Amino acid sequence: MFNSLSDRLTATFKNLRGKGRLSEADVDATVREIRRALLDADVAVPVVRDFAARVRERALGAEVAAALNPSQQVVKIVNDELVAILGGETRRIRLAKNPPTVIMLAGLQGAGKTTLAGKLAKWLKGQGHSPMLVAADLQRPNAVTQLQVVGNRAGVPVYAPHPGVQSEFEAATGDPVGVARGGVEEARQKLNDIVIVDTAGRLGIDAELMQQAADIRAAVNPDEVLFVIDAMIGQDAVNTAKAFEEGVDFTGVVLTKLDGDARGGAALSVASVTGRPVMFASTGEGLEDFELFHPDRMASRILD
Ligand code: GDP
């Protein structure tokens, strides 16, 4: 992911090497190249516009350390601005004062929510927590069983309506809000300090799905709502994120499938467009392919 963006930006910076001082024309030419590289990587248009304007303003201003040469100055400015659009500081999970901390997952079907539930649970367990998964996705017949498999692999308990709901009828008539509430109650009683609630996703944005997610949110009052988005979905990422922001609202973003070779820029825009930070990154199908998202490290990786 981001290989081509990375190459394009590096090539742009190379053109500045050896220049003693940047003229306004140099800055404009550089900003134009950066803008094109970002647009070609699928970064959303308004994000690119603001980004380019800020880089131009700062590159023309004298605010950067005099010790850096012009090319290094531009790299530093682009780096800072990339960190900013990715949410700035690394954002960690906010733990509830009175456990359990409730983390709700939302996103389209196939985004990687169920897989993420297992990864997050395993990671939290490794940090000394005792998480429980809650299977409140009753839309997809297999979702409950899939979460149980993931929970087993992560070595954490799974609260489910009936073990392995299989029939579509049963799934469609289940009560996801009741399951979510029951899961949180069970965690409180069993002293699991973190509850991760998996919710239903659809292939497209859908009013009923949004309402269900909003109802679950209202019922369990989560400390974090993580919007899970497949970094490969391209330009749809921004519209999908906005729809979830309006429909459910969320506190953080998780980018999945960062191991893919898509352009990924749209996913990079999500934090900037919604004002919610990227908190985690998922980079493969295995439970260990998961990391806390550090905007500064991602920016360095892109500019490397
Ligand atoms: P859900 O519908 O949102 O619960 O999505 P799933 O967790 O079922 O994931 C959908 C598919 O994407 C599955 O085949 C997962 O193995 C795969 N998947 C999830 N996360 C990643 C990832 O980070 N990288 C890759 N390559 N595949 C992933």
Side-chain angles (χ1 to χ4, degrees), residues 19 57 59 92 135 153 175 181 189 291:
K19 283 197 191 275
E57 190 185 311
R92 283 158 207 281
R153 275 165 57 203
D175 167 21
R181 211 184 261 132
Q189 282 173 19
E291 55 195 63

Side-chain angles (χ1 to χ4, degrees), residues 237-302:
V238 169
N239 289 336
T240 308
K242 280 190 187 153
F244 273 87
E245 188 191 5
E246 268 170 38
V248 202
D249 204 3
F250 48 86
T251 58
V253 177
V254 180
L255 298 180
T256 63
K257 311 193 191 178
L258 282 177
D259 50 314
D261 57 4
R263 292 175 285 187
L268 291 187
S269 321
V270 166
S272 177
V273 167
T274 63
R276 306 288 185 274
V278 181
M279 293 174 63
F280 296 101
S282 170
T283 55
E285 296 190 80
L287 282 191
E288 59 297 327
D289 301 327
F290 171 80
E291 55 195 63
L292 194 60
F293 188 85
H294 300 286
D296 53 346
R297 284 189 212 164
M298 178 54 91
S300 313
R301 214 181 291 169
I302 292 172

Side-chain angles (χ1 to χ4, degrees), residues 107-116 119 137 140 146 198-199 201 228 255-260 281-285 289:
L108 295 181
Q109 184 174 319
K113 285 182 300 304
T114 307
T115 311
L116 175 80
K119 293 178 175 190
D137 175 357
R140 218 164 21 109
Q146 195 193 336
D198 190 21
T199 66
V228 182
L255 298 180
T256 63
K257 311 193 191 178
L258 282 177
D259 50 314
S282 170
T283 55
E285 296 190 80
D289 301 327

